[in-house]
Amino acid sequence: MRFRSLVFVAVAVVALAATASASAAPVEGVRAGLSVDKWRFESSEEISVTYSLTNTTARSVLVLRWDTPVDGIEADILRVERDGQPVTYIGKLVKRAVPELDDYLELQPGETMTFTFDPSTAYDMSEPGRYALRFRGGERRQARVMPWDTGEAATAADPSEAREVFLYFAGREPRRDLAPENVVGALGKPGSGGKYTRCTVEQQSVLVKAEGNATTRSLKALNYLNTGNSTNDSGGLYKTWFDNTGLYSPLYGWSAVTNHFSTISKAFSEGLATYNCGCNQNYYAYVYPSKPYTIYVCKVFWKASDDNYPDTKAGTLIHEMSHFNATAGTDDWAYGTANAKNFANTDPARATTNADNHEYFAETQK
């Protein structure tokens, strides 16, 4: 396979340009840049921000697309502030599968790729003001599983040199994404009031079962927390997925996670979730956290186990439900059981705000 000779670099995006004319410094063989051609944008204009990647090595490099704006903004990858105050992320959050070859960009020796994106498509830039943008860099860097054995260790870019880019935007109302379309049928449990958009009858049946399992598992998780002991966690599941550091008593975030599962289980029990089956991308699912409670289910979801841990259909729905600001407001700091357990062992603040940790805690309930 021709890619076996490539150097793999899992790049957590680094914004290195403080002004439109500033150039980026080399970062472990890959140079990343962020710039604007002008500093002021009117309400009628798209905001055009340029992102660049340069391979400074003598060999070809593969760069993971995730947590970059190459394919548009599909995660909360930026810190956006207006006049010094953070603005709300209104874009999508995606549960991903193991990366495949198509999830990488190949840069030849010395090659530069540039991409433009509009941050207002994913961040609430409705108010006029001076905006500062920078990538979250190391906050989002995570262990990456390569789709095949390259024979060489993957490295991660050092985000410590990240700088901001500044612009003035006159503001406009946030765009209205993905208006409901082609609502099909009303198959669902009695009283659910569920809607299915672009879903076949067969897909609706699968979702009814998955939602039932998600309801059961989220209620079990809530019961575990309500009846358990936050000072020792005799059942061990909270320690496994949220705080195994031994540093906190009561265990870190027990009350917050209990509140999370209270709202998650309530949303499922009351049938608040709606489903859109129109996604054909290699994701499990995604949501817009500021727009409860629509879950967009994608290709990998249909291949997942119904209820056989990990990454089940039911667990995926719990993962997605946890993202909504109206429920738990979780992020995708990392994917997979190994990363989730590592957070519990080293960084419970991340564990208690990571969607996969919530999913696996619910999936492993007895």
Side-chain angles (χ1 to χ4, degrees):
M1 188 172 187
R2 72 185 183 93
F3 290 101
R4 288 187 63 85
S5 62
L6 294 175
V7 177
F8 284 77
V9 181
V11 175
V13 183
V14 185
L16 298 171
T19 67
S21 61
S23 60
V27 177
E28 297 187 14
V30 175
R31 192 170 67 197
L34 190 68
S35 62
V36 290
D37 290 330
K38 62 179 185 177
W39 72 274
R40 183 182 179 93
F41 294 87
E42 302 301 331
S43 299
S44 59
E45 296 179 277
E46 288 190 3
I47 303 171
S48 181
V49 179
T50 299
Y51 170 72
S52 64
L53 285 171
T54 299
N55 178 12
T56 65
T57 74
R59 292 186 288 178
S60 296
V61 179
L62 290 185
V63 177
L64 191 60
R65 294 171 177 266
W66 300 358
D67 292 344
T68 79
V70 168
D71 299 311
I73 300 175
E74 297 184 333
D76 188 6
I77 60 176
L78 296 170
R79 281 194 176 277
V80 181
E81 294 182 349
R82 183 187 69 252
D83 300 326
Q85 298 300 313
V87 304
T88 303
Y89 178 69
I90 58 173
K92 66 173 68 169
L93 289 176
V94 178
K95 177 174 170 61
R96 299 180 182 273
V98 173
E100 298 181 350
L101 181 58
D102 289 344
D103 293 312
Y104 294 84
L105 293 170
E106 181 181 359
L107 281 77
Q108 299 299 324
E111 181 180 7
T112 296
M113 291 184 177
T114 60
F115 310 88
T116 60
F117 68 96
D118 183 348
S120 70
T121 63
Y123 293 86
D124 183 0
M125 300 178 69
S126 57
E127 297 296 325
R130 182 177 183 267
Y131 286 85
L133 289 72
R134 68 176 176 86
F135 281 95
R136 297 172 75 177
E139 295 181 34
R140 301 203 62 84
R141 188 172 62 222
Q142 54 189 263
R144 301 301 194 183
V145 179
M146 294 304 163
W148 59 83
D149 181 11
T150 67
E152 300 185 40
T155 59
D158 181 357
S160 61
E161 298 180 70
R163 292 182 175 85
E164 296 172 310
V165 64
F166 299 95
L167 57 90
Y168 178 86
F169 182 49
R172 63 166 168 259
E173 285 301 308
R175 66 175 189 167
R176 302 300 178 185
D177 286 295
L178 301 170
E181 57 179 339
N182 303 325
V183 176
V184 180
L187 178 61
K189 60 185 180 182
S192 71
K195 292 183 177 65
Y196 297 86
T197 303
R198 302 177 68 183
C199 300
T200 66
V201 172
E202 181 181 1
Q203 288 173 326
Q204 292 179 49
S205 297
V206 170
L207 284 165
V208 169
K209 182 177 181 180
E211 184 178 65
N213 288 334
T215 303
T216 299
R217 293 222 159 265
S218 59
L219 285 169
K220 283 185 175 182
L222 178 61
N223 184 65
Y224 181 100
L225 294 161
N226 281 333
T227 60
N229 190 320
S230 62
T231 61
N232 58 35
D233 185 35
S234 58
L237 289 180
Y238 193 90
K239 290 180 180 178
T240 298
W241 299 115
F242 293 114
D243 177 18
N244 199 30
T245 62
L247 300 175
Y248 302 95
S249 182
L251 292 164
Y252 186 95
W254 185 287
S255 177
V257 173
T258 301
N259 289 336
H260 292 173
F261 276 99
S262 177
T263 55
I264 290 168
S265 61
K266 184 174 185 288
F268 282 123
S269 297
E270 294 183 357
L272 300 181
T274 62
Y275 302 97
N276 186 309
C277 303
C279 171
N280 292 314
Q281 292 171 288
N282 193 41
Y283 310 150
Y284 282 91
Y286 68 89
V287 300
Y288 291 89
S290 61
K291 299 179 180 179
Y293 294 92
T294 299
I295 298 174
Y296 299 82
V297 289
C298 305
K299 288 198 318 185
V300 182
F301 175 86
W302 307 110
K303 303 174 185 177
S305 166
D306 286 339
D307 200 31
N308 186 19
Y309 161 86
D311 297 308
T312 64
K313 290 185 178 73
T316 295
L317 298 187
I318 292 170
H319 174 117
E320 298 304 326
M321 184 62 77
S322 78
H323 278 320
F324 292 118
N325 298 333
T327 55
T330 62
D331 204 334
D332 285 320
W333 296 115
Y335 302 109
T337 57
N339 284 321
K341 288 180 179 178
N342 182 58
F343 280 155
N345 291 332
T346 63
D347 193 348
R350 288 286 171 86
T352 54
T353 56
N354 189 51
D356 262 4
N357 289 71
H358 288 71
E359 173 181 338
Y360 300 140
F361 178 70
E363 285 181 334
T364 50
Q365 295 295 320
K366 303 300 184 184

